[in-house]
Amino acid sequence: MQYYSLRRQAPAVDFRTAALTGQAPDGGLYFPDNIPRFGPDFLRDLPGLDRADLALAVMRPYVGGTIPDGALRAICAAAVDFPFPLVPVSAGIAALELFHGPTLAFKDVGARFMSRCLGYFAARGDAPPVTVLVATSGDTGGAVASGFLGVPGVEVVILYPRGKVSPVQELQLTTLGQNITALEVSGTFDDCQALVKQAFRDPALAARRFLTSANSINVARWLPQQLYYCFAAQQWPAAAPPVVSVPSGNFGNLGAGLLARASGLPLGPFIAACNANDPVARYLQSGAYAPRPAVATHSNAMDVGDPSNFVRILELFGHDFDALQAALSAATVSDPDTVATVLQVWMENGYLLDPHAAVAYAALLRYQAGHPDAAGFLLATAHPVKFPDVLEPLIGQPIERPEAVQRLQGRAKQSIPLPAEFAALKEFLLR
Ligand SMILES: *Cc1c(COP(=O)(O)O)cnc(C)c1O
């Protein structure tokens, strides 16, 4: 398997190079040069497959021999060593719970897979000391920090928007220490992402440090997200393929789901569930893509005004707007609708959605209003306990704190304040 740059001004590379460099030298995102097909045996055996074996089967063609099967199976096993239950919530709607990992959000799988791949390359002397530079709107930072903690040969620098992540999220990315540094940026997530992108283009930085990204622009983080959809297909009880509602920000998760579907996984149409930051939803209606600065919402990990991974989705559909529209619809869900959805599902079904899952639930409900026979699932991307400020006043009781959160309470936050200016980031990285 080779990966080409979506800007097509750089040479194709193997998985190892794509994972180590993150982005192509021309600034493009890497994309696989062929989409593997799941064979009939794989699909027949799917329900009974062990999670690690399933992950190995899905990831092996993408890794393309740069990691031998034995090591790759161990990496896969570690990346998916917690449950991914598909939980019925209401008539025709289930929630695929992706928040049982160490940082209680779905990004754990990609971060754990990628960190172990880089660890493998570094341990073999195949990689120079690496600085992972990552912008986070909330959950990426914690997942990357946890995934990379203590990995030799890797330093992690996380940029997050000051005051725009929840207290639990902030503790997850500022309290680990060791090889992890958190930069608290006076700006939005889009500012953080722009700073990171500029750093990758800076020749003076490239001369001094081997920089790579752990955002979903990195194929080693993006591709394993296909596994969620496989775990859902394993558990889906009906014969008709499910409609899939994905709470979307940077569109990595949704793109990975569509990739798995293109490989033959039996999934119905997808819904891009967006908050007020909805350039993709507007594109699907009008055919015109107009990014806008991000605005803050209750579902903060989706506050992205110009999603990086959307180009991958366009590529997957060969830039054929009609084909894309046939597979993907979208909904924009406001903060008041998000809150009303949380409350309704809590009262009627006794199930607590986090604000991101609530956006996806509301989007799926709207879809069902037009397609009464459609059953499906939403991706519950984060544990509700990460959003007590929104949820606890609604339900009038404290959310039970899982052990992973209890361990964080009382730890001291360590972060370095940074203005949203490239010169400041550069000075820090050249220190
Ligand atoms: C990151 C995140 C999202 C958005 O995922 P993308 O792949 O960026 O679209 C949704 N929900 C939660 C809880 C997240 O952390």
Side-chain angles (χ1 to χ4, degrees):
M1 175 79 73
Q2 292 287 106
Y3 294 83
Y4 61 94
S5 164
L6 289 180
R7 292 200 180 152
R8 294 179 169 78
Q9 303 293 318
V13 299
D14 64 4
F15 174 81
R16 175 185 164 280
T17 303
L20 284 171
T21 55
Q23 223 169 345
D26 62 359
L29 270 63
Y30 281 120
F31 197 82
D33 72 350
N34 69 81
I35 310 296
R37 294 287 302 178
F38 297 138
D41 293 355
F42 174 84
L43 292 173
R44 189 196 57 228
D45 298 342
L46 185 64
L49 278 184
D50 166 80
R51 275 204 305 279
D53 290 331
L54 188 163
L56 176 64
V58 173
M59 296 310 297
R60 186 199 277 126
Y62 288 101
V63 171
T66 60
I67 302 174
D69 276 0
L72 184 58
R73 192 182 185 284
I75 290 171
C76 288
V80 297
D81 68 351
F82 42 87
F84 301 83
L86 186 68
V87 179
V89 176
S90 60
I93 299 187
L96 181 69
E97 293 185 348
L98 302 178
F99 51 71
H100 298 287
T103 71
L104 309 177
F106 79 96
K107 295 187 174 72
D108 279 324
V109 169
R112 289 161 75 78
F113 184 85
M114 176 184 169
S115 61
R116 283 161 179 79
C117 289
L118 293 199
Y120 172 84
F121 295 131
R124 287 181 21 114
D126 271 3
V130 176
T131 301
V132 172
L133 195 58
V134 61
T136 184
S137 57
D139 290 323
T140 298
V144 168
S146 156
F148 281 86
L149 183 68
V151 173
V154 183
E155 188 197 348
V156 177
V157 177
I158 300 167
L159 285 77
Y160 73 99
R162 178 155 62 112
K164 296 193 176 66
V165 303
S166 80
V168 169
Q169 288 173 331
E170 189 168 35
L171 285 175
Q172 286 177 336
L173 51 97
T174 59
T175 59
L176 291 174
Q178 295 188 47
N179 55 334
I180 316 290
T181 305
L183 301 178
E184 189 175 356
V185 176
S186 315
T188 62
F189 168 68
D190 286 327
D191 292 328
C192 296
Q193 186 149 270
L195 288 173
V196 167
K197 284 186 180 162
Q198 198 172 346
F200 288 124
R201 289 195 303 265
D202 190 274
L205 284 176
R208 285 277 300 279
R209 279 176 179 254
F210 191 94
L211 286 181
T212 193
S213 96
N215 285 100
S216 49
I217 58 174
N218 191 306
V219 294
R221 243 205 72 195
W222 179 56
L223 294 168
Q225 302 187 87
Q226 296 177 86
L227 300 171
Y228 315 136
Y229 302 86
C230 299
F231 299 147
Q234 283 191 302
Q235 300 171 73
W236 183 247
V243 179
V244 184
S245 181
V246 186
S248 295
N250 230 346
F251 279 78
N253 194 1
L254 184 105
L258 290 172
L259 187 62
R261 186 176 183 269
S263 292
L265 201 65
L267 300 172
F270 274 56
I271 304 167
C274 307
N275 62 27
N277 300 285
D278 65 347
V280 171
R282 283 179 290 116
Y283 170 79
L284 287 168
Q285 301 226 311
S286 68
Y289 182 73
R292 279 202 294 224
V295 297
T297 73
H298 290 329
S299 43
N300 66 8
M302 292 150 59
D303 294 347
V304 183
D306 186 8
S308 324
N309 280 294
F310 187 52
V311 287
R312 284 186 164 137
I313 295 176
L314 293 176
E315 184 75 5
L316 188 61
F317 286 88
H319 296 263
D320 177 342
F321 187 71
D322 293 338
L324 177 62
Q325 262 196 333
L328 181 66
S329 63
T332 303
V333 178
S334 66
D335 269 357
D337 285 352
T338 305
V339 164
T341 303
V342 170
L343 202 55
Q344 184 195 333
V345 175
W346 173 251
M347 308 275 275
E348 290 178 8
N349 310 104
Y351 188 87
L352 185 58
L353 296 162
D354 95 280
H356 305 77
V359 168
Y361 187 98
L364 188 47
L365 263 189
R366 280 188 210 167
Y367 183 90
Q368 286 183 331
H371 305 79
D373 296 330
F377 66 88
L378 59 108
L379 275 64
T381 43
H383 194 293
V385 78
K386 297 185 97 169
F387 307 95
D389 295 358
V390 180
L391 301 179
E392 287 182 349
L394 281 179
I395 63 170
Q397 65 187 67
I399 303 166
E400 200 184 320
R401 304 245 171 306
E403 201 202 296
V405 170
Q406 290 172 23
R407 265 184 276 129
L408 289 172
Q409 312 274 296
R411 289 222 200 139
K413 160 179 157 182
Q414 289 175 295
S415 69
I416 298 175
L418 196 85
E421 288 159 18
F422 182 62
L425 176 62
K426 186 164 173 176
E427 187 184 318
F428 170 80
L429 291 171
L430 291 175
R431 77 199 180 279

